Each structure stands twice: as C-alpha cells, then as structure tokens.
Amino acid sequence: MQLFDDMARQRAKIYRWFSLLLFQELSDEALAGLRDKNNLALMNGLKFIPELLLPTRQFQRRLCAALKRKARQQELAADFASLFLLPSPTGVSPYAGHYPHTTPSEERRIMRQWLVELELAPENNEAADHIAIQLALMAALIEGDPHSEILLAQQYHFLRQHLLVWLPLFSKRSYQRDNFGFYAAAIGLLLRFIQLDIEWIIDSFPMRDSNEG
C-alpha cells in the first residue's frame, strides 16, 4: 500500500509541475528554479522510466539552452506569448475547446462541472478548458483517496476523454511552431507521460473503455 501511496503523490506532483509550467510566462525565479534539487529529482525520476528517457533528455537539453540565453526570462516569455497567446496559424491554442472533438462552450461547461465537484476554481479567471487547469484538476483527482476505485476510474476517463483527445494535435502543432523548442519538448514529454500513466492505471485497476461494448 505504501508503494501505491508514494506513486500517487509522485503522479500528482508531476501533473502540478506541468500545470505550472504551461499556465503562464515563467518568471526569472521560476525559470532558475527548474534547475533546483527538487526539479532535478523529478527529471531524474522520469528518466528511470525507459519510455520517458529520450523525451526527458530532449526537454533537459532545451532547458539548458534556455538558461544560457542572454535575456533568458524575456526571450522565453516571448516564446510563450507567440506560441500560446497569438491566434492560429501563428500560435497554438492551449484550450481544449478549440480542437475538433468539441466546442469551447461545451468543453468549458463540462470542465466547470468537474471543478465544482472537486471544489476547485480556475486561477486568475482563466477559462476552464486551459491545459494548465485540466492538469491541475487531474492532480486533484489523484490527491483524493488513492485507494478509491471510483477516483481511479475518474482519472482514467478524464485522461481519455479530456486530455488525450486533443493533446496529440496540440503537441504536433507546438513542434511545428515553437522555433526554440522549449515548450514543444515539454508538451511532448507531457503527452508521453500521460500515455504511460493511462497504462499504469489500467494495470492497477483493469477497466474497459466506456466507448467499448
């Protein structure tokens, strides 16, 4: 049981880490903090997973390059703005409702229901379908009772129905439009982690996809 509890804490920590990374432009302090001992431990932990070794190394290379830029905070903030704040085709939308599987109104309605159920609220009045809000919600689901089969099933369905339905396209467009590559590498790592997380949930609590049968 202790191993299961430790895994839950680590999974929630990773989702919150990605949520903070993608929520807004990083301050100089936050950027430097990506190299502190806690973040290094998180990265080293991801590299212990064979399927995550390559994407983690790719992100670390982009992080090292970002830290060496002359005006690192301003340049990375400009990358964030041009990638996530400008409309398509220049930018890449971080909102699930802007992707083909749904509409902004429908996705935000569903996400608001999730947030109300978990007694959460979007930060800074950000739209509920923003990638960072969805990742924070996933962390909150994990931080509930880690032994609850209901919560584990909710995690599985949230990943399948509200993240993986649009993240592959989000990642593809990010690689196409992120000239420096820091955020594209981060999103690529996130996508691979989520794919493996779903496999872990299935192994921990076998379930059928609600769309099957």
Side-chain angles (χ1 to χ4, degrees):
M1 288 298 182
Q2 185 60 48
L3 180 60
F4 196 86
D5 292 345
D6 292 342
M7 178 65 75
R9 282 192 291 270
Q10 187 66 11
R11 291 172 61 230
K13 180 179 179 180
I14 292 170
Y15 280 106
R16 289 204 180 279
W17 185 86
F18 277 112
S19 176
L20 292 172
L21 187 68
L22 299 174
F23 181 63
Q24 60 188 5
E25 298 96 328
L26 296 173
S27 65
D28 196 57
E29 181 181 8
L31 183 55
L34 291 177
R35 295 293 295 171
D36 68 19
K37 64 179 182 180
N38 291 327
N39 283 298
L40 286 174
L42 186 147
M43 288 292 104
N44 288 333
L46 292 177
K47 286 194 294 186
F48 272 111
I49 303 171
E51 296 88 346
L52 295 180
L53 177 59
L54 181 58
T56 302
R57 283 179 172 173
Q58 290 173 336
F59 173 74
Q60 288 182 311
R61 283 196 291 269
R62 288 293 84 205
L63 173 59
C64 288
L67 292 173
K68 292 177 181 178
R69 297 166 99 176
K70 186 171 295 186
R72 61 186 187 182
Q73 192 279 328
Q74 294 90 339
E75 291 185 63
L76 200 59
D79 292 342
F80 183 96
S82 63
L83 191 61
F84 301 129
L85 303 182
L86 293 180
S88 180
T90 302
V92 179
S93 176
Y95 299 98
H98 292 167
Y99 289 79
H101 71 287
T102 187
T103 64
S105 59
E106 177 65 10
E107 190 67 18
R108 290 168 190 177
R109 180 188 66 79
I110 294 172
M111 282 299 302
R112 283 193 293 269
Q113 289 177 344
W114 278 94
L115 293 169
V116 168
E117 289 177 10
L118 293 173
E119 299 182 349
L120 300 174
E123 295 185 39
N124 297 336
N125 295 318
E126 181 58 81
D129 61 331
H130 191 282
I131 178 64
I133 304 299
Q134 290 196 334
L135 295 174
L137 192 152
M138 182 62 193
L141 282 173
I142 297 171
E143 289 167 342
D145 180 0
H147 304 289
S148 168
E149 292 185 353
I150 293 176
L151 287 180
L152 201 58
Q154 286 181 330
Q155 294 169 36
Y156 170 81
H157 291 298
F158 186 79
L159 291 176
R160 288 294 301 269
Q161 297 171 6
H162 295 284
L163 279 166
L164 276 188
V165 289
W166 69 284
L167 276 185
L169 184 54
F170 179 54
S171 178
K172 179 181 178 180
R173 290 177 177 175
S174 296
Y175 273 106
Q176 291 171 340
R177 298 168 191 175
D178 183 7
N179 293 328
F180 184 73
F182 174 84
Y183 285 105
I187 295 164
L189 174 58
L190 168 64
L191 175 60
R192 192 68 187 105
F193 171 76
I194 288 177
Q195 291 168 336
L196 293 175
D197 198 35
I198 283 183
E199 293 180 10
W200 180 84
I201 292 173
I202 292 173
D203 289 341
S204 300
F205 176 48
M207 65 193 74
R208 296 182 64 194
D209 189 327
S210 61
N211 293 324
E212 293 177 358

